[in-house]
Amino acid sequence: MRQRLKIKVTFLFFALLALVQGYSQNQPSSIQSNYSGILSIPSQPANIADNRYKIDINLVTINWSAYNNYIALKGHSFPWYAQNSPWSNFTSEQTGDSAAFWQNPNFQDEFLFERVDDQDKSVHNYNEIMGPSILYTIDEKNAFSFTWRGRSLLNIDGIGPELAKVIYRDRQVPDLWGALLSNPKVGIASMNWVEYGLGYGRVVYDDHKHFMKVGVNLKLAQGMNAVYMQFEDFDYRIDNGDSISIPRKRVNYGRSNRYDPSNPSEHFSYNFDSKISPAFDIGFIYEYRPNREKFKYDMDGEYDQWMNDKNKYKWKVGISITDIGRLKFDKSPTSNDFFIDTSNWDVSSLSIKEWDDFERQVVGQYDVASGDERTFTMSLPTALSLQIDYNVWQNFYVNFTPYWAIYDKASPTKVHNITSYSLTPRFESQWFDLMIPFSYNNYGNTAIGLSARVGPLTIGTTDFTPYVAAGNIFGVDGYFSLKIPIFRKGKPSDRDEDQVSDKKDNCPEIAGLMQFQGCPDIDNDGIPDVYDDCPADSGIAEFRGCPDRDGDDIIDRYDECPDIPGILAFQGCPDSDGDSIIDPRDSCPTLAGIIFYHGCPDTDGDSIIDPDDLCPEHPGPIENGGCPDTDKDGIFDYLDECPENFGPKENNGCPWPDTDLDGILDKDDRCPNNPGPKENYGCPYTDTDGDSILDKDDECPNVPGVRENNGCPLIEAEDQEIINTAFANLEFLSGKAVIRDESLESLDRLAELLVKKTEWQLRLSGHTDNVGSEKENLILSKRRAEAVQTHLSEHGVEKSRIKVEFFGESQPIASNDTPEGRQKNRRVEMEILFE
């Protein structure tokens, strides 16, 4: 009977030390993932901002563990190791009855392992459930969250090696009997509470490679129940296997009304022993983003959009402080600080089934300590955490997280977590995570864990050893989460890479333009190819995208002359001269002609088409370029002022005359209009015009003039300026006798002057450059001089007052080797005459 009692007591101690929360401390490796979302907020509030979710709804998350640093269950005790363990010695009836396992008389020796060292023994119990909670991303910089959590934490600290052995051996430690033992600061603290968190995260800096965000989680916490008990400098003596002695020592003890571990329904009921109190978590994260620009894209008319489904950092560092706050409880009427003072206390007679039994048989038997407060304050398990995360390659990361529990070891009313260090390599993606955490804590425990997330489901443990090995097991843990994830949008699918998402792309297989819903417009005519009858040629909507370059209302594909306006009768080709021969086939498109001459005319009928005929209106032999030479003097009739009389070229085809009949030809007569002797060069020994200048020296012998102008009248400066301007501004179309429009104004002013000066005559001398044949240029020079004569006569100047001379290319005034020189040589000189 005594042996069975010993086993029960030992198991109860093991259950207390081993089947409680260990060093996971609500820090499962799953929260290190960038896809942990709502689950990571209690540990790092800065994760609220710029996370991978638009909405992340937690349905239920459970986190539990059981560890200690003293008693271990031997791994072979589990059924999956039964074939090679003492378990196999039991009968089927025994293995089918769980009581048979615990009532094994050799249970303690066969199934438990005791770690014997000089370290204090501790127990840490944490359980958590996160109920319906939500994370919502507002925009690129802002997000908020709401969380609801129920939490339970138990700490047993400061159990020295001797005291742990006494408890574990049920005082059956003869080597310690009679010795006064000391154990400083033995304490227990436990609290169960709920909290409601409203979190806000914001991006505070985003420039080039550097990115920072902060977050705060403001919480309202309310305690369901709590208890604490602490021995200061606990001295004791084991008198024998049944009794102990304790010198007078103060015990700090308090519990709230509803704390009773013997009544689980009350222990975890949604009733509260404390008022609501504020608390908060705060965090900061810095990210180094050397390749941030590759996470931007242009799509659907919006530019520099972030791929919000992608992590952009090469490495990041976060720091957070969590659970800053405390809860105030009223002590139950039966709990108080007391002094314990006993000798030879027979503890074997104690029968404690409920917490009230403990207070009645232990607390109630001793003196109440003075100064006992009727309220107590339990601090939340404040902790400082540093998170360092490095992107090794693509979806592979490694995380290092030191986690430091912050608490006053001397405080009896402080629940706390455990300092630990974890190194976690992981693979993560939008719908799948796999993590293998390596961890170490200040209990001296090391562990290897495993965690996986598949879509909305996450499951894992920080210590996988109990499930795969037969070693000593100091506890187990695990966590489970189920949520509804709605991810933030990344770069939409764009198969043709035209920056129009497939969802909005009417042509998803062909690159196109946003304004055409992703369809191409190869010819850039503003008409998408699907509606363009001429997708390769820029056109207009009127012709369904087909071009009509010449604007003749005939689209180019049906227009034989797409660059020249035409008519439908000629398939879009023009017939400028109206000879029914379209211009592309008409050698003379501006001159009405006949088919025989490919659309060119032969006005004079000499079988030489007008463009090749130097005299198109007068028939002539081909050797004369189509010009007649009636008097056979080698001067074409057009250029021959005496076409029927043989004459020299120097006199424009006329025989030399003797106008004044003085026997001296005009070419040798200085006064061709006044008879005079040969010895006086054909001039009379008189002054005909009476200007005191003898006729032989007078260039204007019949018009009075002045000596400084060689006997001719002086021309006023303003009149000479009109003449000079008309000459300087006179220009013709290239190769034609057509005066340019810009020359007409100055010619009109010259005409006005000549109308006033009725005694004046005008000599026009035509000249050309040397481009073309000599004969052509001679004709052209005459035509240009005649064009000026015609214009002046049309503006009131008698044609008989205008004398025309022409010299072709024979009298250049500049070099014909340059464009500028040739321009100067293409001229009509003007000279005023007085007879």
Side-chain angles (χ1 to χ4, degrees):
M1 181 67 181
R2 182 178 180 87
Q3 180 67 22
R4 293 179 64 187
L5 177 62
K6 177 180 178 181
I7 292 175
K8 287 183 178 181
V9 171
T10 300
F11 171 69
L12 288 174
F13 179 71
F14 173 79
L16 180 64
L17 291 181
L19 299 181
V20 291
Q21 172 70 16
Y23 55 90
S24 69
Q25 316 145 31
N26 194 33
Q27 292 290 312
S29 57
S30 62
I31 66 172
Q32 298 166 0
S33 169
N34 292 289
Y35 294 95
S36 56
I38 187 74
L39 303 181
S40 68
I41 292 172
S43 298
Q44 174 50 278
N47 282 331
I48 297 174
D50 189 54
N51 65 84
R52 303 285 73 81
Y53 295 95
K54 178 63 177 179
I55 301 175
D56 193 23
I57 301 174
N58 179 74
L59 299 178
V60 61
T61 296
I62 300 173
N63 182 17
W64 78 96
S65 67
Y67 288 91
N68 75 103
N69 63 344
Y70 181 44
I71 302 299
L73 184 65
K74 296 177 182 179
H76 61 235
S77 302
F78 286 102
W80 51 84
Y81 301 119
Q83 293 181 353
N84 299 313
S85 71
W87 186 275
S88 59
N89 296 326
F90 294 147
T91 63
S92 59
E93 291 80 4
Q94 289 175 313
T95 57
D97 182 0
S98 62
F101 176 75
W102 302 112
Q103 293 175 1
N104 177 12
N106 298 317
F107 174 83
Q108 189 166 324
D109 295 330
E110 293 185 3
F111 297 103
L112 300 182
F113 169 78
E114 179 184 11
R115 177 186 284 171
V116 179
D117 54 29
D118 295 333
Q119 301 296 318
D120 286 347
K121 310 308 177 187
S122 298
V123 175
H124 182 79
N125 180 306
Y126 182 88
N127 296 282
E128 174 189 330
I129 181 171
M130 177 186 284
S133 303
I134 186 171
L135 167 65
Y136 179 76
T137 298
I138 302 172
D139 53 31
E140 296 287 346
K141 291 188 174 182
N142 302 280
F144 74 87
S145 66
F146 171 78
T147 54
W148 176 94
R149 293 197 294 167
R151 304 172 68 184
S152 174
L153 185 56
L154 167 68
N155 298 113
I156 300 176
D157 296 305
I159 301 177
E162 294 86 358
L163 181 57
K165 185 176 182 180
V166 168
I167 297 173
Y168 177 63
R169 297 295 179 179
D170 194 18
R171 302 177 306 281
Q172 304 306 308
V173 285
D175 55 325
L176 297 178
W177 287 352
L180 182 62
L181 304 174
S182 178
N183 197 120
K185 292 291 183 185
V186 178
I188 179 173
S190 178
M191 181 169 64
N192 301 285
W193 74 102
V194 297
E195 58 187 33
Y196 312 94
L198 181 62
Y200 172 71
R202 178 176 176 80
V203 175
V204 295
Y205 188 82
D206 185 4
D207 183 35
H208 301 293
K209 300 178 181 180
H210 308 291
F211 177 89
M212 302 178 192
K213 58 183 178 178
V214 298
V216 62
N217 189 27
L218 302 177
K219 302 187 289 190
L220 294 178
Q222 190 169 18
M224 291 185 286
N225 48 67
V227 66
Y228 71 91
M229 184 165 56
Q230 184 185 62
F231 292 84
E232 296 184 3
D233 298 325
F234 180 53
D235 297 331
Y236 62 97
R237 183 181 66 243
I238 306 299
D239 298 315
N240 52 52
D242 293 325
S243 64
I244 63 173
S245 296
I246 303 174
R248 183 178 178 85
K249 294 292 180 182
R250 182 184 179 109
V251 180
N252 299 315
Y253 168 66
R255 74 173 176 93
S256 65
N257 285 315
R258 291 183 175 83
Y259 187 84
D260 185 358
S262 63
N263 185 0
S265 62
E266 182 64 27
H267 188 59
F268 293 105
S269 65
Y270 211 73
N271 297 309
F272 301 97
D273 280 348
S274 80
K275 295 181 179 180
I276 293 178
S277 296
F280 69 94
D281 314 314
I282 188 169
F284 166 84
I285 291 177
Y286 166 80
E287 296 182 3
Y288 177 62
R289 299 178 168 186
N291 301 313
R292 71 196 294 269
E293 293 303 319
K294 76 176 185 179
F295 297 101
K296 284 185 175 181
Y297 66 93
D298 301 332
M299 191 69 66
D300 297 339
E302 297 182 353
Y303 303 95
D304 288 335
Q305 299 296 299
W306 285 110
M307 297 179 188
N308 289 316
D309 62 332
K310 303 291 185 182
N311 304 316
K312 305 166 186 67
Y313 62 88
K314 183 61 179 178
W315 56 265
K316 69 176 179 179
V317 177
I319 186 169
S320 59
I321 302 178
T322 56
D323 288 324
I324 302 173
R326 58 185 184 175
L327 296 173
K328 188 175 182 179
F329 294 87
D330 292 326
K331 282 187 177 181
S332 68
T334 55
S335 67
N336 51 261
D337 295 354
F338 62 94
F339 286 98
I340 188 169
D341 187 4
T342 182
S343 297
N344 296 311
W345 180 18
D346 186 4
V347 294
S348 64
S349 61
L350 292 177
S351 177
I352 298 175
K353 298 179 180 180
E354 298 179 353
W355 201 262
D356 289 340
D357 294 334
F358 169 75
E359 292 183 341
R360 183 175 58 256
Q361 298 180 43
V362 179
V363 180
Q365 300 300 315
Y366 298 101
D367 296 335
V368 176
S370 60
D372 178 55
E373 298 289 342
R374 299 315 301 162
T375 61
F376 63 94
T377 299
M378 296 290 287
S379 297
L380 297 180
T382 307
L384 171 66
S385 176
L386 181 67
Q387 309 96 34
I388 303 172
D389 206 46
Y390 182 76
N391 180 209
V392 179
W393 177 69
Q394 293 187 353
N395 292 351
F396 292 90
Y397 296 78
V398 62
N399 179 276
F400 176 63
T401 299
Y403 180 90
W404 296 283
I406 302 174
Y407 65 98
D408 181 5
K409 294 182 179 180
S411 173
T413 57
K414 173 75 174 182
V415 290
H416 63 84
N417 287 319
I418 298 176
T419 296
S420 66
Y421 306 89
S422 65
L423 181 68
T424 307
R426 73 179 187 277
F427 171 87
E428 69 174 35
S429 64
Q430 193 172 70
W431 288 100
F432 177 74
D433 287 348
L434 181 65
M435 289 152 279
I436 304 176
F438 299 82
S439 57
Y440 172 81
N441 68 5
N442 63 351
Y443 277 6
N445 291 329
T446 58
I448 301 176
L450 183 65
S451 174
R453 177 184 62 87
V454 181
L457 177 65
T458 301
I459 189 169
T461 176
T462 60
D463 189 0
F464 196 58
T465 306
Y467 306 100
V468 298
N472 297 320
I473 301 170
F474 286 88
V476 294
D477 70 45
Y479 47 89
F480 165 86
S481 176
L482 182 63
K483 60 181 185 175
I484 301 175
I486 301 176
F487 297 102
R488 294 180 70 183
K489 293 182 179 179
K491 182 179 180 180
S493 175
D494 180 16
R495 282 174 287 174
D496 53 17
E497 298 183 351
D498 59 0
Q499 297 183 0
V500 181
S501 63
D502 292 347
K503 184 177 180 181
K504 297 182 179 181
D505 199 331
N506 290 341
C507 304
E509 304 295 339
I510 307 172
L513 302 171
M514 178 61 195
Q515 59 264 40
F516 304 131
Q517 289 75 48
C519 290
D521 177 20
I522 296 175
D523 53 17
N524 295 315
D525 60 1
I527 303 169
D529 292 354
V530 292
Y531 305 117
D532 197 330
D533 288 347
C534 302
D537 299 306
S538 179
I540 57 178
E542 180 182 357
F543 300 124
R544 289 183 56 85
C546 289
D548 175 22
R549 294 196 298 271
D550 54 18
D552 59 2
D553 294 333
I554 303 171
I555 62 175
D556 291 354
R557 67 164 61 176
Y558 303 121
D559 195 334
E560 292 189 11
C561 303
D563 296 309
I564 308 172
I567 58 177
L568 185 61
F570 297 127
Q571 290 76 45
C573 289
D575 178 20
S576 301
D577 52 19
D579 60 3
S580 299
I581 302 170
I582 62 175
D583 290 358
R585 299 173 186 171
D586 196 332
S587 298
C588 303
T590 60
L591 300 172
I594 60 177
I595 295 177
F596 182 80
Y597 292 123
H598 305 288
C600 289
D602 178 19
T603 303
D604 56 14
D606 59 2
S607 300
I608 302 172
I609 61 174
D610 289 0
D612 298 334
D613 196 334
L614 295 178
C615 302
E617 295 180 356
H618 303 281
I622 192 169
E623 58 269 19
N624 288 346
C627 291
D629 180 14
T630 303
D631 56 12
K632 306 300 182 180
D633 59 3
I635 302 171
F636 300 156
D637 289 358
Y638 174 70
L639 302 174
D640 196 334
E641 293 184 3
C642 302
E644 295 182 356
N645 298 308
F646 189 94
K649 180 178 180 181
E650 293 78 13
N651 199 35
N652 295 327
C654 290
W656 292 109
D658 178 14
T659 304
D660 54 12
L661 301 175
D662 59 1
I664 301 171
L665 296 177
D666 287 357
K667 68 182 183 68
D668 301 319
D669 196 336
R670 290 185 182 180
C671 300
N673 295 314
N674 298 319
K678 184 176 182 181
E679 58 271 16
N680 201 33
Y681 305 104
C683 291
Y685 290 100
T686 60
D687 177 14
T688 303
D689 55 13
D691 59 3
S692 301
I693 302 172
L694 293 177
D695 289 353
K696 70 180 182 68
D697 300 317
D698 196 337
E699 292 184 4
C700 300
N702 298 313
V703 179
V706 295
R707 190 171 296 279
E708 55 267 32
N709 199 30
N710 300 319
C712 292
L714 281 176
I715 300 176
E716 299 293 334
E718 57 269 25
D719 294 340
Q720 187 64 51
E721 179 64 24
I722 293 174
I723 298 170
N724 294 341
T725 301
F727 171 68
N729 291 343
L730 183 59
E731 290 186 3
F732 297 87
L733 296 179
S734 179
K736 295 182 179 180
V738 179
I739 302 171
R740 290 185 179 274
D741 291 342
E742 51 265 34
S743 301
L744 298 179
E745 182 180 355
S746 58
L747 281 179
D748 292 346
R749 291 182 63 193
L750 176 60
E752 293 175 2
L753 177 63
L754 292 174
V755 170
K756 294 177 183 179
K757 304 291 185 178
T758 57
E759 72 280 11
W760 288 9
Q761 296 184 23
L762 180 66
R763 179 161 57 197
L764 299 175
S765 301
H767 302 271
T768 68
D769 58 26
N770 66 349
V771 177
S773 70
E774 182 179 355
K775 291 181 179 179
E776 288 175 342
N777 286 334
L778 191 61
I779 293 174
L780 180 60
S781 66
K782 181 181 180 182
R783 287 178 178 172
R784 283 178 172 174
E786 288 176 339
V788 176
Q789 181 190 47
T790 300
H791 182 83
L792 293 175
S793 66
E794 289 174 351
H795 285 74
V797 182
E798 295 87 348
K799 201 168 188 178
S800 61
R801 294 170 56 195
I802 305 172
K803 183 179 180 181
V804 172
E805 294 181 352
F806 46 92
F807 301 95
E809 63 186 57
S810 64
Q811 297 181 9
I813 61 174
S815 172
N816 280 308
D817 295 333
T818 65
E820 295 79 8
R822 289 191 293 273
Q823 175 66 32
K824 291 180 180 179
N825 291 332
R826 294 191 295 269
R827 70 195 189 278
V828 173
E829 295 178 346
M830 303 176 185
E831 182 182 2
I832 298 297
L833 303 175
F834 294 96
E835 61 177 13

